[in-house]
Amino acid sequence: MNSDSQSTEPVMTGSEDSAGKVADGDALSPGHPQTAGAAAARSAAGTTGSNRPAPEIMRGLRATASAPDQISILSPEGELTAHPDYPLDVTPELVRGLYRDMVLVRRFDREGNALQRQGQLGLWVPLLGQEAAQIGSGRAMRPRDMAFPSYREHGVAWTRGVDPVDILGMFRGIDHGSWNPAEKRFGQYTIVIGNQAPIAVGYAMGQRLDGAIGDDENAEASIVYFGDGATSEGDIHEGMVFGAAFSAPVVFFCQNNQWAISAPLETQTRVPLYRRANAYGFPGLRVDGNDVLAVLAVTKWALDECRTGNGPVMIEAFTYRMDAHTTSDDPTRYRLADETESWRLLDPIERVKAYLARNGLADAAFFDQVQVEADELAARFRAHCVELEPPTSERMFSRVYTDPSAQLAAQQAEHEEYQAGFADTEAVSR
Amino acid sequence: MTEIKLTLAKALNTALRDAMELDDKVVVFGEDVGKLGGVFRITDGLQKDFGEHRIWDSPLAESGIVGTAIGLAMRGYRPVVEIQFDGFVFPAFDMIISQLAKLTFRSQGAWKMPVVIRIPFGGGIGAVEHHSESPESFFCHIAGLKVVACSNPSDAYHMLRQAIACDDPVVFFEPKRRYYDKAVVDVSATGEDYFTSKTLTQGQTCTIASYGPSMPVALAAAEAAAAEGRSLEVIDLRSLSPLDLGPVVESVKRTGRLVVVSEAPRESSISSDIAARVTEEAFYSLAAPVLRVAGFDTPYPPAKLEEEYLPSLDRILEAVDRTLSY
Ligand SMILES: Cc1ncc(C[n+]2csc(CCOP(=O)(O)OP(=O)(O)O)c2C)c(N)n1
Ligand SMILES: [Mg+2]
């Protein structure tokens, strides 16, 4: 992520080179990104209200690709249609649980933004809009499965039993995330785009070498999260090559939130991303990333598929980054409010609420109770954040190696002696 | 003379603009440099004024960014590419080391590589991991690359112009926490070589050699030392590879003492190299060993510890004290 200019730069709003101007598409030369048509297509996909996105006109004249059906179960209006290929036992408990997950995750995510604005965090990376993609896929995992996130997966973290307060440290500048990745089966956040893909594949290769795949209930799989922008990095390619070469039990889970900071999808690809999987020789699926039931069903299927030994699956969760890239970013410089507004109609939580309410599966008391819980979580998140103590210098030298180096120990001692010098002068001057 | 008051960021922006106006082979690309103007706004407004055929957003892939820059250079362009943050240059490392740095040598001059790789570097902005690194020593170790670091708006302008005009690849480090430092810049061509060490203050007690974001700290140390009756000779190295060691050696011959200041980890670094070379070239003038005030040999720490990690005024003065204790 970019932490951008942090506090040093004034927040900018509305500028002369606003997205609208560029989207006029004038003065474009062949071979360079053309944003107008595709932006229109994107927002059209967001406003049709049907499960089938409008044909996408991708970059370049030759590359007109129409996206086939994206898999969906719960429409934006909250209507449920079972999918023949991705069965899911949709019980009221399941849906209420997913609803609660999403509301709670959204609530602490909003609190993260607020804490950054109030100077309590250096940065926050919002997940707003991506709750269904993260909760649906996270809840598809079995306890022994392993997840490798990028840096926006607070919702997946939640499903792995990571206490949200353990995410705060890295954004407050005191650690790099304080959950135990091996125990939670949720890797640490990976900021360098794409690095986590080959790593996840290696882990999955280990699962296979250990004989931990198959039909029994202890069988394992891995899932790796990355964005639409990340698909351009060589690491993602190499991860897919290795995943295929070794039939690794790994799900490549791409959250296509339409933007990589200021770069729209067309900057990265001519074809819908899920189709890239075909070239590697494994299935690629596009799921409505704002439909928590579809994401759950598809990810369950995919994890089972690779867990039983069939090799990788790629899932493209088609969703939208409703907020800025990070709290340092100003999206008004590069995208239209209209686009964001059209995606608001596809909100991942509202449709679940509509489904529950309309079918009498949850009453007002339930919704109130979830809200109370969410507010309590946010309060605990905030209280924990402001109470976090800065680390001592010991942390800087700690665990650079498992086998401590004499060279570093000497450097640490030198530094401690230097600091002790200040303590002495303070004592003297007092 | 054309003097204007600019931030370091705006000075870089102005240098890009002036270079693009002068030569339509100068093209600019990288992640988010177009519409957004880069996450630090260094390329702000350039796409609007020059069009997408002169400045474009690349896909998110650093090896691709540098690789295509190499190809464009072969085709006669003068690419100036942006790596978004210091910690994100590594996917491009192979391209830089294996190709960019060696093509001129390999082809014995048939290929020229007028490529500039701009990298915001260093800490002090309270960022998360990978956004505060000082990877300059890696590049200094590679023959064929010029590695420079600016420290103030005027040098930022002129050094970037010189880098773009240079027929060799230049890795251009920008001190990100100094982007909003302001100073008067004379943007008229001076004919001066800016890839040289520059002496900023005269002094007798001790020489301080530094570069990039640490320069203002070194200058503040010189001021504080002056209040205690010590005069420090502060030198801004500017070019890290090749090093312009002459002014440093000449200074050490007068002061007898040298402290090198750098944010990068201390060992196997530019600081180490300077210490070694000054020891070789000015051994009989040295009254004390060359001391290095640098980052620790740890990964860059979480932001709340960075003040301790980064060379501070006190650490510089303490090192000066130590050189006087021999
Ligand atoms: C190797 C690397 N290059 C650049 C960056 C800076 N950066 C952080 S996030 C980002 C965009 C990522 O977009 P995407 O993969 O779509 O994920 P999203 O942020 O939308 O979730 C960029 C360019 C980085 N973190 N790592
Ligand atoms: Mg994205």
Side-chain angles (χ1 to χ4, degrees):
Chain A
M1 78 209 66
N2 85 78
S3 63
D4 210 323
S5 39
Q6 294 289 337
S7 53
T8 38
E9 199 205 18
V11 176
M12 307 200 191
T13 49
S15 68
E16 62 289 0
D17 60 338
S18 73
K21 190 72 169 281
V22 180
D24 290 344
D26 51 6
L28 300 184
S29 65
H32 289 286
Q34 306 199 2
T35 52
R42 242 191 348 269
S43 56
T47 46
T48 52
S50 91
N51 297 335
R52 182 189 293 261
E56 279 178 279
I57 298 109
M58 305 308 277
R59 185 213 291 204
L61 292 176
R62 280 177 297 138
T64 301
S66 65
D69 285 4
Q70 70 180 6
I71 299 153
S72 92
I73 291 178
L74 193 64
S75 76
E77 296 76 30
E79 267 160 50
L80 188 111
T81 315
H83 195 288
D85 299 332
Y86 307 99
L88 187 70
D89 185 13
V90 184
T91 64
E93 296 74 50
L94 174 76
V95 185
R96 283 195 296 260
L98 294 170
Y99 173 82
R100 173 179 172 274
D101 282 342
M102 291 197 291
V103 171
L104 266 58
V105 162
R106 178 175 291 186
R107 184 65 187 84
F108 83 72
D109 179 68
R110 295 299 81 197
E111 202 65 19
N113 262 25
L115 285 163
Q116 192 281 335
R117 295 290 178 236
Q118 292 153 8
Q120 294 293 339
L121 293 176
L123 183 79
W124 184 250
V125 184
L127 62 69
L128 190 71
Q130 298 177 222
E131 296 86 354
Q134 297 194 11
I135 295 298
S137 59
R139 288 295 180 208
M141 272 181 263
R142 291 186 190 170
R144 299 174 72 91
D145 291 340
M146 180 73 190
F148 291 88
S150 59
Y151 43 75
R152 202 185 291 283
E153 278 69 65
H154 321 315
V156 185
W158 171 258
T159 67
R160 301 311 279 161
V162 171
D163 189 331
V165 302
D166 287 337
I167 303 169
L168 285 165
M170 76 176 274
F171 295 114
R172 196 170 160 90
I174 67 167
D175 58 36
H176 298 313
S178 55
W179 63 92
N180 180 328
E183 217 166 75
K184 296 294 178 189
R185 302 232 160 193
F186 182 72
Q188 282 176 295
Y189 279 176
T190 311
I191 292 173
V192 182
I193 305 288
N195 281 179
Q196 69 275 25
I199 294 172
V201 172
Y203 189 93
M205 287 165 66
Q207 290 173 318
R208 192 182 181 96
L209 286 169
D210 287 347
I213 56 171
D215 291 327
D216 75 288
E217 62 187 54
N218 287 330
E220 300 179 23
S222 295
I223 182 167
V224 57
Y225 290 86
F226 52 93
D228 44 292
T231 60
S232 293
E233 287 282 6
D235 274 356
I236 299 293
H237 168 71
E238 294 186 26
M240 292 190 175
V241 166
F242 275 68
F246 295 94
S247 294
V250 62
V251 173
F252 294 101
F253 195 93
C254 177
Q255 289 175 83
N256 174 1
N257 63 9
Q258 315 301 326
W259 292 92
I261 310 186
S262 73
L265 187 63
E266 313 80 73
T267 308
Q268 321 291 344
T269 187
R270 284 185 174 206
V271 298
L273 292 170
Y274 72 93
R275 282 218 216 138
R276 290 194 178 176
N278 296 350
Y280 296 97
F282 50 80
L285 306 164
R286 179 184 276 180
V287 62
D288 178 350
N290 286 11
D291 173 353
V292 71
L293 296 179
V295 176
L296 175 64
V298 165
T299 313
K300 265 196 165 154
W301 176 86
L303 284 165
D304 280 343
E305 181 74 3
C306 59
R307 194 185 282 119
T308 49
N310 291 335
V313 176
M314 177 183 178
I315 297 172
E316 175 190 359
F318 204 76
T319 180
Y320 193 76
R321 195 194 79 209
M322 292 298 291
D323 202 337
H325 171 67
T326 67
T327 47
S328 297
D329 176 39
D330 174 13
T332 63
R333 286 178 70 99
Y334 55 80
R335 73 180 185 187
L336 297 169
D338 281 7
E339 179 184 287
T340 314
E341 282 312 308
S342 70
W343 275 90
R344 204 178 296 284
L345 302 174
L346 306 178
D347 186 75
I349 300 183
E350 284 307 311
R351 66 179 77 185
V352 179
K353 189 172 190 180
Y355 170 78
L356 286 171
R358 193 173 313 125
N359 295 291
L361 304 175
D363 54 13
F366 167 79
F367 293 118
D368 290 347
Q369 174 55 31
V370 172
Q371 200 48 57
V372 168
E373 253 191 281
D375 290 340
E376 281 168 3
L377 173 61
R380 186 168 68 84
F381 191 69
R382 164 172 294 271
H384 187 94
C385 179
V386 300
E387 280 162 18
L388 279 172
E389 290 292 333
T392 61
S393 52
E394 205 273 329
R395 170 65 176 79
M396 195 152 54
F397 297 93
S398 160
R399 307 291 179 113
V400 177
Y401 305 94
T402 42
D403 178 17
S405 97
Q407 175 178 306
L408 193 54
Q411 208 172 84
Q412 180 173 2
E414 194 186 301
H415 179 58
E416 277 164 7
E417 197 188 315
Y418 162 77
Q419 284 193 307
F422 284 98
D424 292 348
T425 39
E426 272 163 36
V428 170
S429 63
R430 233 175 257 140
Chain B
M1 280 217 323
T2 321
E3 292 198 333
I4 27 176
K5 194 160 190 186
L6 297 175
T7 61
L8 197 154
K10 190 68 185 167
L12 293 167
N13 177 272
T14 307
L16 287 169
R17 176 177 292 282
D18 291 353
M20 290 174 85
E21 256 160 26
L22 192 75
D23 181 355
D24 61 12
K25 292 292 184 192
V26 174
V27 290
V28 174
F29 55 100
E31 291 151 15
D32 305 288
V33 299
K35 249 175 283 182
L36 185 64
V39 295
F40 289 108
R41 313 292 186 255
I42 305 303
T43 54
D44 190 22
L46 297 179
Q47 190 179 64
K48 201 180 87 188
D49 294 344
F50 291 93
E52 291 190 46
H53 61 294
R54 297 290 305 283
I55 164 164
W56 59 86
D57 282 330
S58 73
L60 206 180
E62 291 75 12
S63 183
I65 291 170
V66 175
T68 56
I70 293 171
L72 281 157
M74 289 173 169
R75 188 67 194 177
Y77 288 87
R78 307 187 78 84
V80 184
V81 302
E82 175 173 304
I83 297 294
Q84 203 161 78
F85 279 86
D86 34 54
F88 307 143
V89 68
F90 300 109
F93 206 56
D94 179 36
M95 274 294 172
I96 297 172
I97 305 308
S98 308
Q99 301 304 328
L100 184 64
K102 296 179 173 60
L103 272 159
T104 298
F105 179 74
R106 186 182 298 143
S107 69
Q108 284 299 294
W111 292 128
K112 289 195 177 75
M113 281 294 127
V115 173
V116 180
I117 302 176
R118 296 181 33 245
I119 308 179
F121 84 126
I125 63 161
V128 293
E129 211 185 353
H130 312 291
H131 292 71
S132 306
E133 305 200 347
S134 298
E136 57 274 17
S137 298
F138 297 126
F139 300 98
C140 292
H141 207 65
I142 302 303
L145 298 175
K146 295 197 174 180
V147 184
V148 304
C150 59
S151 68
N152 60 68
S154 175
D155 282 353
Y157 177 83
H158 291 288
M159 289 173 70
L160 187 52
R161 291 298 306 270
Q162 185 169 337
I164 296 170
C166 177
D167 278 342
D168 286 315
V170 179
V171 184
F172 191 94
F173 284 100
E174 302 171 358
K176 70 170 85 80
R177 80 179 137 119
R178 307 293 177 200
Y179 271 147
Y180 304 101
D181 287 5
K182 253 192 177 173
V184 172
V185 179
D186 175 4
V187 297
S188 47
T190 60
E192 194 180 322
D193 179 3
Y194 287 87
F195 292 2
T196 56
S197 296
K198 184 176 184 184
T199 305
L200 301 184
T201 65
Q202 313 285 331
Q204 282 86 46
T205 314
C206 181
T207 305
I208 310 286
S210 187
Y211 59 92
S214 296
M215 283 318 301
V217 188
L219 288 170
E223 249 177 63
E228 295 173 4
R230 289 172 183 171
S231 66
L232 305 185
E233 184 144 309
V234 178
I235 299 178
D236 186 344
L237 296 165
R238 300 198 293 193
S239 175
L240 308 180
S241 182
L243 267 173
D244 176 23
L245 210 61
V248 180
V249 170
E250 188 276 321
S251 172
V252 169
K253 284 188 172 158
R254 283 183 287 103
T255 62
R257 294 175 175 83
L258 174 63
V259 171
V260 189
V261 182
S262 162
E263 285 186 18
R266 193 171 74 185
E267 310 304 346
S268 309
S269 64
I270 293 169
S271 320
S272 304
D273 205 51
I274 291 171
R277 289 175 61 182
V278 168
T279 306
E280 283 173 4
E281 292 182 31
F283 182 72
Y284 290 107
S285 306
L286 283 170
V290 179
L291 296 183
R292 296 162 297 157
V293 177
F296 300 110
D297 287 284
T298 69
Y300 196 84
K304 285 271 154 77
L305 284 169
E306 68 183 343
E307 251 180 69
E308 241 180 86
Y309 180 91
L310 297 170
S312 62
L313 186 147
D314 283 327
R315 275 172 69 196
I316 295 172
L317 292 179
E318 190 263 352
V320 171
D321 281 350
R322 269 193 289 146
T323 64
L324 287 164
S325 71
Y326 283 88

